[in-house]
Amino acid sequence: MKTVIHRAVSLSLGLSLVVFSCAVAASAQKKNRLQDATRHAADAAKVFTEIMNVREKAIPKELLDKAEAIAVFPGVVKAAFIFGGRGGQGVISRRTRNGWSAPAFFNLSGGSFGAQIGAQKNDYVFLIMNEDGVKGLLEDKFEMGGEAGVVAGPVGREVAASTNTTLDAGILSYSRSKGAFIGAAFKGVAITPDNDLNEAVYSMKATAVLTNRPMSLTQMPAGVRIFPRTLARYSHR
């Protein structure tokens, strides 16, 4: 009888240890993912601030105020040796009545072929100007140069008066490399939601983050608030 009781107690303790270990592992994984999200949001906010602080080469405010969403992909690695490719992570926030939504997390990737060699890091900014552009981004895979009409965006004060010529585009695209910030056209580049990270941070996918009832800043995880706060500093309507 004592042997049976001892075995039952040992089994119960063993199961408890397994459950506890799983809970600890899950908690550690969630903490790591929150750190990833915090890093992505902070890097994107830093890049956007640096770009907007160079006034003679910044995105015209007229365009920022018309944008329905803004995407920033900092430090995207572009490498090539005959076959080329690029890859990185970034965030997208959508405009709401009270400012900007919680940032949803996305991946950027692409490839090319030709006589090329080398590697560099670029920062990319995309202004999503209308609902067609937003709908495109909410697809499982959005390829630049498709139906949404991606064009190189103008920069600087001197082009502010001529920005009406670009407003029919779904997305205005920009690139910064080695300190130079320019409007840049993109083709063959795909943006896909990083739903592993979105679900770890928000318990929902990117589409829900950007289309559900917006979270207030206090409802967002503290580490990601820096991105919508940064956007609100430069554009609020």
Side-chain angles (χ1 to χ4, degrees), residues 31 45 56 68 70 81 92 111 124 134 153 175 184 211 232 234-235:
K31 183 178 179 180
E56 67 276 10
E68 294 298 326
I70 295 178
F81 183 76
I92 300 176
Y124 297 120
V134 173
S175 173
T211 60
Y234 296 98
S235 179

Side-chain angles (χ1 to χ4, degrees), residues 182-203:
I182 59 172
F186 288 85
K187 285 187 178 181
V189 173
I191 294 178
T192 54
D194 184 352
N195 281 326
D196 286 342
L197 185 53
N198 287 305
E199 290 177 337
V201 175
Y202 303 114
S203 298

Side-chain angles (χ1 to χ4, degrees), residues 15-27:
L15 289 173
S16 297
L17 285 172
V18 170
V19 171
F20 177 74
S21 297
C22 290
V24 169
S27 177

Side-chain angles (χ1 to χ4, degrees), residues 4 14 46 58 78 91 103 144 149 154 157 166 178 196 199 203 224 232:
V4 173
K46 180 182 177 183
K78 181 180 179 182
V91 297
M144 290 289 181
R157 295 176 178 177
T166 64
K178 297 180 181 178
D196 286 342
E199 290 177 337
S203 298
V224 307

Side-chain angles (χ1 to χ4, degrees), residues 139-162:
E139 297 175 357
D140 289 338
K141 182 178 182 180
F142 174 76
E143 292 191 4
M144 290 289 181
E147 294 77 8
V150 182
V151 301
V155 298
R157 295 176 178 177
E158 69 279 2
V159 298
S162 65

